[in-house]
Amino acid sequence: MESYEPEHLSSAQLAAMRRSLTSGRGALTRRSLLRASGMGAIALGGMATLGACGIPPAKRADAGVASDDHSAKEKEVTFSNWTEYMDVSEDEKGRPTLEAFTRRTGIRVKYTEDINDNVEFFGKIKPQLAAGQNTGRDLICVTDWLAARIIRLGWAQKLDPSNLPHAFANVSAQFRTPDWDPGRAYSYPWTGIPTVIAYNVKATGGRKVDSVTQLLDDPKLKGRVSFLSEMRDTVGMTLLDQGKDPGKFTDADFDGAIGRLQKAVDKKQIRRFTGNDYTADLSKGDIAACVGWAGDVIQLQADNPDIKFTIPAAGYITSSDNLLVPAQARHKTNAEKLIDYYYEPPVAAQLAAYINYVCPVDGVRDELAKIDESMASNTLILPDQEMAAKSRSFRSLTTKEETAYEEKFAKLIGA
């Protein structure tokens, strides 16, 4: 693993994080939209801490070294997750899949919904990880860019494939080999989060909107188009439209995408760049079409049959939330057993039926159909082969790249 430079966040990076917390994924509830609510002053305080103190100049020599595994003697596992990201019983007093895991294995799960946004959570656990101490957590769930950072710093434990037979066999192809963890040596995906084109068919006069080119150039959509204020989603979708791979793009490719978007801003084709607040305008028809998140679409369609979505022929961006075992965790084997449990199709189906995100587990369709046939046929939860083949991930960025790219994107969107 490479060493890591001090990470003093630029003003553009801090602004991007604030956007995420106040109106982007960090501001949305898991059940109703896409991300848990931000922590306001607490989260922004965490960002200030990250910006002021940075990250240690290099990974510790002993970073990532597992502590003694106490799993055999201590039948427990501590799991930190986002809010509204686990199935709940009808009386809201239990968590059926977790309880079934305990009955089967005898391993008690201490489940905590203490992840409210990635930045705030990283600020919470960073001091222990940097000091080579146990965070008190055996399993955490973080978004791909933070998972990449933790792995790169040497602060995640390498997983034992012998404890993960279902996970190894059943992880979907589109999630199997991220550039930041090839072969899933340190992580497994909990859910996928697609970025798609959404439109209000009433506002478009019955016309389908199915490409970024159409969003940027169609005169009939002028002034009624929005893109996301999350750089990876908006630029990633534009790169794809230009025939570039978001997993391999160059500085020149990035600048080309920014230039393409700038032209649409200058001619007032794009109305604005938004977080999740585009949903109200889309539902009312003030925004006719946009780049949006699939979780929003599922929710909006439940109330408004005019809301449609398309997957561009050029492809779409998918991010993911991922399970990691932190360095020095006491119960690594128990954590691995819990990861593997959620890759059994009947269990994965029960979880997917509740949280309504892309399920990263192959072989789950028939099991989900037993619960809800409409969910089993919803490609935003279970992408079909054609849709999965179009999924692309935005590549990992160096600190230098992230600073430069966020500054250019901030200038584009006027942040």
Side-chain angles (χ1 to χ4, degrees), residues 54-71:
I55 293 175
K59 71 183 185 70
R60 292 170 48 88
D62 60 346
V65 176
S67 60
D68 292 337
D69 191 352
H70 298 266
S71 293

Side-chain angles (χ1 to χ4, degrees), residues 16-29 33-36 38 228-230 274-277 293:
M17 291 175 181
R18 290 189 181 97
R19 290 197 305 273
S20 181
L21 293 176
T22 56
S23 63
R25 290 180 187 161
L28 311 180
T29 63
L33 294 171
L34 264 175
R35 278 284 190 272
L228 293 168
S229 58
E230 295 280 352
T274 76
N276 70 292
D277 48 325
W293 291 306

Side-chain angles (χ1 to χ4, degrees), residues 57-307:
K59 71 183 185 70
R60 292 170 48 88
D62 60 346
V65 176
S67 60
D68 292 337
D69 191 352
H70 298 266
S71 293
K73 293 182 178 180
E74 298 174 5
K75 305 292 284 184
E76 61 185 81
V77 61
T78 300
F79 182 8
S80 284
N81 205 350
W82 300 75
T83 58
E84 303 287 351
Y85 227 15
M86 179 64 70
D87 56 300
V88 177
S89 60
E90 289 188 9
D91 63 8
E92 299 186 352
K93 294 181 180 180
R95 301 187 183 279
T97 58
L98 288 176
E99 291 163 2
F101 173 78
T102 298
R103 288 194 298 270
R104 181 198 296 184
T105 64
I107 299 170
R108 181 176 61 87
V109 183
K110 181 181 178 182
Y111 184 77
T112 307
E113 294 179 324
D114 63 343
I115 304 179
N116 296 289
D117 72 84
N118 289 287
V119 174
E120 183 265 341
F121 182 68
F122 187 52
K124 186 186 299 183
I125 65 175
K126 181 168 70 77
Q128 289 82 17
L129 291 171
Q133 299 171 353
N134 181 10
T135 65
R137 299 165 176 84
D138 301 304
L139 193 62
I140 61 176
C141 182
V142 294
T143 305
D144 41 22
W145 66 265
L146 181 54
R149 181 177 298 176
I150 291 172
I151 292 169
R152 189 164 60 237
L153 285 166
W155 291 347
Q157 296 193 46
K158 193 169 185 178
L159 302 174
D160 183 350
S162 68
N163 292 326
L164 297 155
H166 295 98
F168 182 81
N170 294 335
V171 63
S172 298
Q174 73 181 99
F175 296 103
R176 190 173 287 275
T177 56
D179 67 345
W180 46 269
D181 186 18
R184 291 291 181 181
Y186 293 88
S187 70
Y188 272 92
W190 182 249
T191 54
I193 306 164
T195 302
V196 300
I197 291 178
Y199 63 101
N200 184 319
V201 70
K202 186 175 181 180
T204 65
R207 293 185 307 120
K208 183 178 184 180
V209 181
D210 59 5
S211 72
V212 170
T213 292
Q214 191 175 355
L215 291 175
L216 294 176
D217 294 337
D218 188 341
K220 294 182 179 179
L221 298 177
K222 184 175 181 178
R224 297 189 296 151
V225 168
S226 69
F227 280 71
L228 293 168
S229 58
E230 295 280 352
M231 182 263 288
R232 288 167 175 81
D233 296 299
T234 285
V235 174
M237 293 291 281
T238 305
L239 284 167
L240 283 167
D241 190 70
Q242 294 179 309
K244 305 297 182 181
D245 184 348
K248 299 178 181 178
F249 67 88
T250 64
D251 288 347
D253 295 334
F254 183 90
D255 290 344
I258 291 291
R260 180 87 170 87
L261 291 161
Q262 186 65 58
K263 289 181 181 179
V265 170
D266 293 343
K267 67 181 182 181
K268 302 188 185 306
Q269 178 78 9
I270 297 176
R271 179 168 179 165
R272 61 191 182 108
F273 294 86
T274 76
N276 70 292
D277 48 325
Y278 71 88
T279 56
D281 286 344
L282 181 64
S283 188
K284 289 186 295 184
D286 293 340
I287 289 291
C290 63
V291 170
W293 291 306
D296 293 356
V297 175
I298 293 173
Q299 296 298 321
L300 290 173
Q301 286 180 327
D303 299 320
N304 186 345
D306 291 330
I307 303 302

Side-chain angles (χ1 to χ4, degrees), residues 52 55 82 95 106 154 160 166 191 219-220 233 253 275 283 295 308 311 323 332 347 358 360-361 371 374 400 406:
I55 293 175
W82 300 75
R95 301 187 183 279
D160 183 350
H166 295 98
T191 54
K220 294 182 179 179
D233 296 299
D253 295 334
S283 188
K308 309 292 181 183
I311 302 299
L323 300 173
K332 176 175 179 283
V347 180
V358 169
V361 181
I371 301 170
S374 65
K400 182 179 178 180
E406 285 290 2

